[in-house]
Amino acid sequence: MNNVIENAAARLNPLLRRECRIGLILGSGLGSYAEKIESKRFVEYSELSGFPQSRVEGHKGRFVIGELFDKTVICMQGRFHFYEGYPQSQIALAVRLMKRLGVERLLLTNAAGGVNLNFSPGDLMLISDHINFSGSNPLIGENDDSFGPRFPDQSNVYDRDLRAKVRKMAEDIGIPLREGVYMMFSGPAFESPAEIVFARTVGASAVGMSTVPEAIAAAHCGMKTIGISLITNMAAGIFDQPLSHEEVQQTAARASDRFTKLTDGILEHVF
Ligand code: HPA
């Protein structure tokens, strides 16, 4: 039993009102999607003892519970990052809390740098798999058997059947969708151009600093995950220009209509 999770579950459970099967984690510049949730109930991370706090500009730090398409959802508006100094086991807490609350399907979103040379800023990418190049793992430490096994399988972290449905739905609603492997670097420094050549060589289509710890924790406890990357910039060295967090946020803002439409489609028709 993890007391942090059990205490947080006791605080959030009364706000659910009915079964809540869907979890949503919003990435950099994408947090405003939570404004769409109806009958919102908020719990700040700071109200939950033992929970990390999110401190990145463009990230709020709270759970939002409410209804979308007549389904109850729990949403993290602002996530925790490895580069903020938290062990990945702490980043996994939020996913495990969702599991305790009954969540079965998880939508993970992020802003990412494009590595595949056919991509352009503003593209949306369905994550087919990941490369954990962060140097850590959320399951390091004593295993909690109530969530899953010591050595969990990772061959279908981003659920194959759900991905097929997302692809079909995106085509039906006319949203172009890329698909590829997301490679996690620890950050907070953006990657070097040589690291991006390496990422492409080992099969990555996009790079970022999040998502993988949550996806591993979700797979461990048997949740079905979909991951969506918004390509906010081409990764380092592809264009002759420096990268910045401002560029990431500006592209995210410009792409927000398409991101919203795709996310709506996933929540309404796939989950
Ligand atoms: N690298 C890592 N993380 C990112 C990037 C990038 O180029 N863009 C947005 N998040």
Side-chain angles (χ1 to χ4, degrees):
M1 263 316 166
N2 181 311
N3 280 335
V4 174
I5 294 173
E6 302 313 322
N7 290 339
R11 169 77 175 84
L12 289 161
N13 228 330
L15 305 179
L16 296 184
R17 297 185 190 160
R18 61 176 187 174
E19 192 185 40
C20 172
R21 294 192 312 108
I22 298 174
L24 178 58
I25 299 184
L26 298 171
S28 273
L30 305 172
S32 61
Y33 185 81
E35 307 305 333
K36 290 198 64 167
I37 297 173
E38 296 151 20
S39 316
K40 289 187 267 301
R41 287 86 84 185
F42 298 103
V43 177
E44 303 285 330
Y45 303 148
S46 57
E47 290 178 53
L48 303 173
S49 82
F51 242 75
Q53 312 298 316
S54 177
R55 306 190 205 92
V56 189
E57 205 189 317
H59 285 259
K60 289 206 167 71
R62 61 190 183 183
F63 285 103
V64 184
I65 295 167
E67 276 66 44
L68 268 173
F69 306 106
D70 204 29
K71 300 169 186 177
T72 299
V73 300
I74 176 163
C75 171
M76 280 185 92
Q77 198 176 22
R79 60 146 56 93
F80 311 123
H81 297 89
F82 188 44
Y83 62 72
E84 293 174 86
Y86 302 112
Q88 291 192 10
S89 57
Q90 287 222 42
I91 300 170
L93 281 176
V95 172
R96 293 180 159 186
L97 169 61
M98 289 181 177
K99 176 74 181 179
R100 278 285 181 266
L101 296 173
V103 168
E104 295 166 1
R105 294 184 172 190
L106 181 64
L107 177 58
L108 296 174
T109 68
N110 61 51
V115 171
N116 184 323
L117 297 172
N118 295 317
F119 287 7
S120 305
D123 282 357
L124 292 161
M125 184 188 90
L126 180 61
I127 301 177
S128 58
D129 200 353
H130 66 231
I131 297 171
N132 181 7
F133 198 64
S134 68
S136 190
N137 191 292
L139 305 180
I140 287 175
E142 194 181 344
N143 188 55
D144 185 338
D145 296 328
S146 70
F147 285 105
R150 172 76 288 188
F151 301 109
D153 176 55
Q154 298 277 283
S155 47
N156 194 25
V157 172
Y158 305 89
D159 188 77
R160 201 171 287 113
D161 297 335
L162 287 182
R163 269 192 286 132
K165 287 183 184 165
V166 171
R167 241 181 267 126
K168 161 114 189 20
M169 176 278 299
E171 198 178 325
D172 288 347
I173 65 172
I175 300 269
L177 188 58
R178 312 285 200 163
E179 188 162 359
V181 172
Y182 175 90
M183 184 166 181
M184 180 185 174
F185 285 73
S186 71
F190 285 111
E191 301 74 29
S192 69
E195 286 165 345
I196 295 307
V197 172
F198 168 69
R200 190 178 306 115
T201 306
V202 297
S205 284
V207 290
M209 307 173 191
S210 68
T211 303
V212 169
E214 292 105 318
I216 292 173
H220 179 243
C221 65
M223 282 184 192
K224 294 193 170 177
T225 296
I226 283 292
I228 300 288
S229 291
L230 169 61
I231 306 300
T232 50
N233 56 282
M234 292 312 284
I238 295 176
F239 297 143
D240 185 20
Q241 63 183 51
L243 307 187
S244 72
H245 189 54
E246 288 68 41
E247 179 188 6
V248 169
Q249 288 186 295
Q250 280 165 14
T251 312
R254 273 204 305 277
S256 92
D257 282 359
R258 265 178 311 118
F259 173 80
T260 296
K261 223 171 137 191
L262 181 68
T263 305
D264 281 351
I266 293 171
L267 296 179
E268 184 174 10
H269 300 297
V270 179
F271 275 13

